[in-house]
Amino acid sequence: MSEIESVLVENRVFPPTAAQAAHARIQGMAGYEALCAEAAADLPAFWAKRARDLLVWHKPFTQTLDDSQAPFYRWFADGELNASANCLDRHLGTPVERRTAIVFESDDGQVSRVTYKELLARVSRFANALKAEGVQKGDRVILYMPMGVEGVVAMQACARIGATHSVVFGGFSAKALQERIQDVGAVLVITANYQMRGGKELPLKRIVDDALAMGGCDSVRRVLVYERTATAWDKVDGRDKGFAEALAGQSDQCAPTPVDAEHPLFVLYTSGSTGKPKGVQHATAGFLLMVRQTFEWTFDWAADDVFWCTADIGWITGHSYVAYAPLAAGATQVIFEGVPTYPDAGRFWQMIERHKVSIFYTAPTAIRSLIKAADSDATVHPRNWNLDSLRVLGSVGEPINPEAWMWFYREVGHERCPIVDTFWQTETGAHVITPLAGVTPLVPGSCTLPMPGVDVAIVDESGQDMPKGSGGMLVIRKPWPSMIRTIWGDPERFKKAYFPPELGGGVYLAGDGAVRDVKTGYFRITGRIDDVLNISGHRMGTMEIESALVAKTDLVAEAAVVGRPDDLTGEAICAFVVLKRPVKDAADGAAIAKTLRDWVAQEIGPIAKPKEIRFGDNLPKTRSGKIMRRLLRSLAKGDAITQDTSTLENPAILGQLDQKY
Ligand code: 6R9
């Protein structure tokens, strides 16, 4: 698509078609506005009504919102329920029990199906195995698993017995895993011998071994190993158990343990603006309520839909819209083990055809890479497959550029399917700004309007509302049920990071910039305003990468990391590094750069590897010694330096920082 066209379409509006509107459970924008008005009139009553309708309670709640210890808000606090019972047991004795819950497609294209009844039996059996290992209500369990049914079963089994799960994405390194195990104080780790990705067998268990060997993980009593492949793995006697051994003889009946509404369902680590990842803690009832409600409103889900969210369970999207929301709703969903480009870049389209997917939810970075692949190889263009089953498309993780939006809309959705560009975060638990399929008129590149019941606004540094058309900081002014409850073990950091006193102490700061359209009031997210980068939809703190680099003490004296725009990955990581010895020549520079990339992969994971590394005798600093990051961002972008460099202590440095490795 030409530049000019992309600029033009940005102002185009795509209202729902008559067929889309007729399908939707919310009747037009009037219906949407009525919901917003209902929430504005009495926010607790709005959510209490839905919590009664959508959740199954062991003991009904009588209080809705407790804000007496704000910003530590509590929702439905005196109620009791179980998340797994809300996803599985509730369907027993209804037609849903025979429905396929999960269609699993493995990396090599094998398909298996699990009904709701079978899933309940598997989760119950696994829950009994966890109990037999001594796991108790309130204990923390780490998952380091491939994408697949077993991961979801393990998460649900933890929820069933009231254990708090913490899933670590399978691409994180041993060091990153060890830090999370230690921080959350896990009693048990669930992993697999290997994971299959793109035809390759990648070790997982070995990385768990390395993590535990680093020390500080004395809380871990047991490692359970899913034998995903036939390849042997090293067993540590007395500590490790294969799934077969752990599950042998366990009953497939296990009564769900009732927990308080505020009981921590999970802790999921995410990057913040300091070097240490934050353990985002979510509560059982509020989380479950909002993921289920948004699943139905945003995607306009109906019982005959086949839902496919391509996110891994290691990220929040895989928690909310794979492991919980579809099951709570009784949906049929596809779970895919592999990668979008194996055996070729037609894999997603082939799978949509094969499984008759009707709601397809993926990330802009995947779309962009598939556009590129289709442009250079016509045989992987989506037109080669029958995509008529599609009804709704979704996007998540980063802003979707209008070019990618239009391609997705035309080439995949055939101009029949709304695209819901869902803005939300690990901390929000569920969609907070998004179009509702069949309801909201769409504008490419805009996440449009707030979810009913979420009070989103754009403010300046002092908390004043920004007029439409002026950019500012995205905030949420009132609590919402699926909000982060605290940072695991660090309530002070929670308060400081999300509820700054300048904004009154009770207003949630999202960390993103945003602007509203003057005419429509639609939101557009302009990107993070803190030191968090978004690489292919994955959050990475610049400080985290800097800490990893300077930990290479034999080579690195100092490092600064910034992001720059990238056509494919959204943002790319650029590192500016001061070495302890001079770079001899280009070959030496390239060798050091490789060493540093490998090092970062080992410290954090391959996703944190800098795309570009530049070396200098020093970093550009002010006379007071502050690194001038804005200047580094301009350098990384390749922009002319327009900033005032008169405060720079060492202007000669700029010349050195040209050479990229
Ligand atoms: C769900 C998820 C959160 C950050 C968020 C923002 C970016 C997510 C977006 C989006 C623009 C969207 N982000 N969705 N930006 N449009 N539709 O991705 O959670 O991993 O915590 O990342 O991602 O910057 O602050 P998480």
Side-chain angles (χ1 to χ4, degrees):
M1 183 182 300
S2 74
E3 281 269 27
I4 296 170
E5 194 185 353
S6 78
V7 171
L8 287 175
V9 294
E10 219 164 352
N11 295 318
R12 270 163 63 171
V13 180
F14 298 83
T17 64
Q20 291 161 8
H23 188 285
R25 63 190 76 209
I26 296 172
Q27 291 308 297
M29 288 308 281
Y32 166 80
E33 276 148 23
L35 285 173
C36 293
E38 185 191 335
D42 188 341
L43 186 73
F46 177 86
W47 285 118
K49 173 171 185 281
R50 282 148 187 101
R52 290 191 185 98
D53 285 353
L54 295 174
L55 299 180
V56 182
W57 293 89
H58 181 79
K59 180 178 153 235
F61 61 93
T62 61
Q63 335 160 322
T64 303
L65 172 64
D66 172 5
D67 57 6
S68 61
Q69 286 158 62
F72 300 94
Y73 297 100
R74 292 152 58 84
W75 284 89
F76 321 115
D78 64 343
E80 286 178 17
L81 76 173
N82 179 280
S84 155
N86 267 279
C87 293
L88 301 168
D89 306 60
R90 71 180 312 157
H91 305 306
L92 268 191
T94 79
V96 179
E97 72 173 23
R98 288 185 303 277
R99 191 179 286 166
T100 301
I102 297 172
V103 179
F104 174 67
E105 181 163 322
S106 67
D107 188 57
D108 65 356
Q110 302 204 37
V111 176
S112 55
R113 290 186 167 73
V114 192
T115 66
Y116 271 92
K117 202 170 176 182
E118 289 160 354
L119 191 62
L120 172 59
R122 281 176 68 170
V123 168
S124 299
R125 212 160 155 229
F126 204 96
N128 282 327
L130 291 176
K131 278 188 182 169
E133 298 301 345
V135 180
Q136 292 178 357
K137 180 172 165 178
D139 282 347
R140 275 83 56 209
V141 172
I142 285 265
L143 271 74
Y144 189 64
M145 299 277 283
M147 191 55 189
V149 179
E150 285 69 20
V152 174
V153 167
M155 291 164 84
Q156 286 280 340
C158 289
R160 196 162 188 84
I161 65 171
T164 300
H165 59 69
S166 187
V167 186
V168 178
F169 175 61
F172 277 112
S173 70
K175 176 89 185 305
L177 177 60
Q178 182 259 355
E179 283 166 6
R180 286 156 176 77
I181 292 172
Q182 190 174 18
D183 190 76
V184 87
V187 299
L188 187 136
V189 177
I190 308 174
T191 188
N193 62 339
Y194 287 87
Q195 62 176 336
M196 295 303 304
R197 281 173 76 80
K200 286 198 231 43
E201 202 172 338
L202 306 170
L204 281 178
K205 165 64 166 63
R206 203 192 306 149
I207 297 169
V208 173
D209 290 342
D210 291 349
L212 296 178
M214 286 174 181
C217 300
D218 296 343
S219 57
V220 176
R221 298 191 300 256
R222 176 76 71 207
V223 177
L224 296 182
V225 183
Y226 163 49
E227 284 156 313
R228 168 62 188 88
T229 69
T231 313
W233 48 280
D234 291 333
K235 185 170 172 181
V236 177
D237 280 328
R239 191 195 71 188
D240 301 348
K241 251 190 206 178
F243 266 28
E245 188 187 349
L247 291 165
Q250 295 299 341
S251 154
D252 61 7
Q253 307 266 321
C254 172
T257 304
V259 299
D260 292 345
E262 284 292 311
H263 185 73
L265 179 61
F266 65 88
V267 173
L268 181 61
Y269 286 83
T270 189
S271 296
S273 43
T274 72
K276 196 172 173 262
K278 304 186 270 204
V280 173
Q281 180 180 322
H282 277 285
T284 304
F287 173 81
L288 214 55
L289 165 64
M290 265 185 80
V291 297
R292 165 135 197 227
Q293 180 68 87
T294 55
F295 181 69
E296 295 183 356
W297 278 344
T298 304
F299 301 113
D300 185 32
W301 171 81
D304 58 353
D305 274 309
V306 176
F307 177 76
W308 182 18
C309 166
T310 64
D312 191 281
I313 51 163
W315 307 112
I316 189 66
T317 308
H319 280 62
S320 303
Y321 300 104
V322 176
Y324 288 103
L327 300 180
T332 296
Q333 71 171 318
V334 173
I335 292 185
F336 175 43
E337 179 181 45
V339 297
T341 47
Y342 177 81
D344 60 43
R347 185 68 182 267
F348 274 6
W349 323 130
Q350 183 203 19
M351 283 183 60
I352 290 169
E353 176 183 283
R354 187 178 191 186
H355 303 299
K356 300 202 165 45
V357 172
S358 58
I359 305 175
F360 179 58
Y361 189 31
T362 194
T365 185
I367 299 166
R368 286 193 301 265
S369 76
L370 297 178
I371 294 174
K372 203 173 156 204
D375 280 350
S376 63
D377 175 2
T379 68
V380 297
H381 191 281
R383 75 169 75 90
N384 297 290
W385 287 272
N386 180 344
L387 306 180
D388 289 349
S389 59
L390 286 174
R391 201 171 64 71
V392 175
L393 302 174
S395 170
V396 59
E398 52 180 320
I400 177 164
N401 46 309
E403 292 86 344
W405 196 101
M406 283 310 303
W407 188 90
F408 200 28
Y409 188 69
R410 285 186 180 142
E411 308 300 333
V412 181
H414 300 159
E415 303 183 25
R416 277 188 305 105
C417 309
I419 299 178
V420 288
D421 174 2
T422 61
F423 171 85
W424 59 296
Q425 310 174 299
T426 305
E427 293 88 342
T428 67
H431 304 155
V432 290
I433 312 179
T434 178
L436 308 180
V439 178
T440 317
L442 309 168
V443 170
S446 167
C447 52
T448 74
L449 295 169
M451 184 61 71
V454 185
D455 187 2
V456 185
I458 300 176
V459 300
D460 67 11
E461 249 113 70
S462 60
Q464 295 300 308
D465 270 327
M466 296 302 289
K468 284 180 188 164
S470 306
M473 310 188 294
L474 190 71
V475 296
I476 306 180
R477 286 186 291 210
K478 296 206 184 82
W480 64 105
S482 65
M483 69 192 294
I484 172 176
R485 291 306 193 264
T486 187
I487 293 175
W488 181 263
D490 202 346
E492 276 311 307
R493 188 173 174 202
F494 165 74
K495 271 211 282 205
K496 244 178 85 189
Y498 300 112
F499 296 91
E502 309 86 83
L503 302 181
V507 173
Y508 170 82
L509 180 68
D512 282 285
V515 58
R516 295 186 77 164
D517 185 83
V518 180
K519 275 209 277 263
T520 58
Y522 276 15
F523 286 75
R524 195 164 54 79
I525 306 298
T526 51
R528 299 288 306 195
I529 48 171
D530 53 10
D531 296 319
V532 173
L533 306 182
N534 193 321
I535 316 298
S536 298
H538 299 150
R539 267 167 78 166
M540 241 15 281
T542 53
M543 290 275 284
E544 245 174 299
I545 309 169
E546 286 168 13
S547 317
L549 285 167
V550 296
K552 184 81 181 128
T553 47
D554 56 331
L555 266 177
V556 178
E558 202 177 3
V561 169
V562 298
R564 70 147 165 77
D566 183 276
D567 283 348
L568 214 55
T569 56
E571 272 188 301
I573 302 169
C574 301
F576 293 85
V577 177
V578 181
L579 293 171
K580 288 195 171 160
R581 64 163 177 84
V583 177
K584 284 181 237 140
D585 50 32
D588 185 42
I592 300 173
K594 177 170 185 321
T595 306
L596 293 181
R597 286 194 179 96
D598 291 347
W599 172 261
V600 171
Q602 184 190 315
E603 288 287 291
I604 305 172
I607 52 171
K609 276 192 194 181
K611 178 153 186 182
E612 245 174 60
I613 302 183
R614 306 188 192 198
F615 301 112
D617 298 342
N618 203 338
L619 297 170
K621 288 178 189 154
T622 62
R623 276 173 232 278
S624 60
K626 264 202 160 132
I627 299 173
M628 295 181 74
R629 284 171 189 278
R630 255 189 304 161
L631 204 74
L632 291 177
R633 277 194 279 270
S634 299
L635 280 175
K637 232 174 132 179
D639 283 355
I641 303 296
T642 52
Q643 285 98 341
D644 178 11
T645 51
S646 61
T647 54
L648 202 61
E649 201 213 314
N650 44 359
I653 289 301
L654 293 182
Q656 289 179 7
L657 294 169
D658 278 349
Q659 177 72 29
K660 304 171 208 163
Y661 292 96

